[in-house]
Amino acid sequence: QVQLVESGGGSVEAGGSLRLSCAASSSSYIRNCMGWFRQAPGKEREGVASIYGGGIYTGYADSVKGRFTISTDNAKNTMYLQMNSLKPEDTAMYYCAARACRGPELWPLQSTKYTYWGQGTQVTVSS
């Protein structure tokens, strides 16, 4: 098992930046499949970004390509999501997730495939 703890959420104005962190309790999954999801009120949870093999492959939702960057620090067992040029529509609760896998994720990400989840961190972008 692995525990995931997110941090770094907050409130920013449109155009601003935030960096989310996801600390894993063990190194077991940092080189497997990890991802960031988000869920806004009244909407389904959607995949935002994924990473495999500690950074060998990354993937992004079309809505965040060019603005968000997913990465890992394998020595710290931590995954990050750098979010730039934030928009009000990025407002949501952001969750990190992990699962064992044999290769990079296919898109769109399917949250049902992920085994372990963090508690979430709120991101609010004002216009």
Side-chain angles (χ1 to χ4, degrees), residues 1-122:
Q1 288 190 345
V2 62
Q3 292 183 330
L4 304 173
V5 179
E6 302 101 332
S7 60
S11 297
V12 296
E13 294 185 349
S17 298
L18 285 172
R19 188 176 79 157
L20 305 183
S21 299
C22 173
S25 60
S26 75
S27 62
S28 302
Y29 291 87
I30 202 70
R31 290 182 174 84
N32 269 266
C33 285
M34 296 190 73
W36 287 97
F37 292 78
R38 66 186 182 188
Q39 188 167 18
K43 295 187 177 181
E44 293 186 354
R45 188 169 296 189
E46 63 172 349
V48 175
S50 66
I51 192 165
Y52 168 73
I56 297 175
Y57 293 100
T58 59
Y60 300 91
D62 288 342
S63 60
V64 306
K65 281 182 181 176
R67 300 189 298 121
F68 290 11
T69 303
I70 190 171
S71 63
T72 59
D73 184 331
N74 299 337
K76 295 182 178 180
N77 296 333
T78 301
M79 177 176 66
Y80 301 99
L81 185 67
Q82 178 67 45
M83 305 186 295
N84 299 327
S85 302
L86 282 162
K87 304 175 180 180
E89 51 263 44
D90 294 319
T91 295
M93 185 71 79
Y94 283 71
Y95 300 89
C96 67
R99 72 179 188 95
C101 65
R102 296 183 179 181
E105 292 284 18
L106 298 177
W107 280 78
L109 290 186
Q110 297 181 38
S111 61
T112 53
K113 289 186 175 181
Y114 280 77
T115 308
Y116 302 104
W117 291 84
Q119 81 287 353
T121 186
Q122 178 68 38

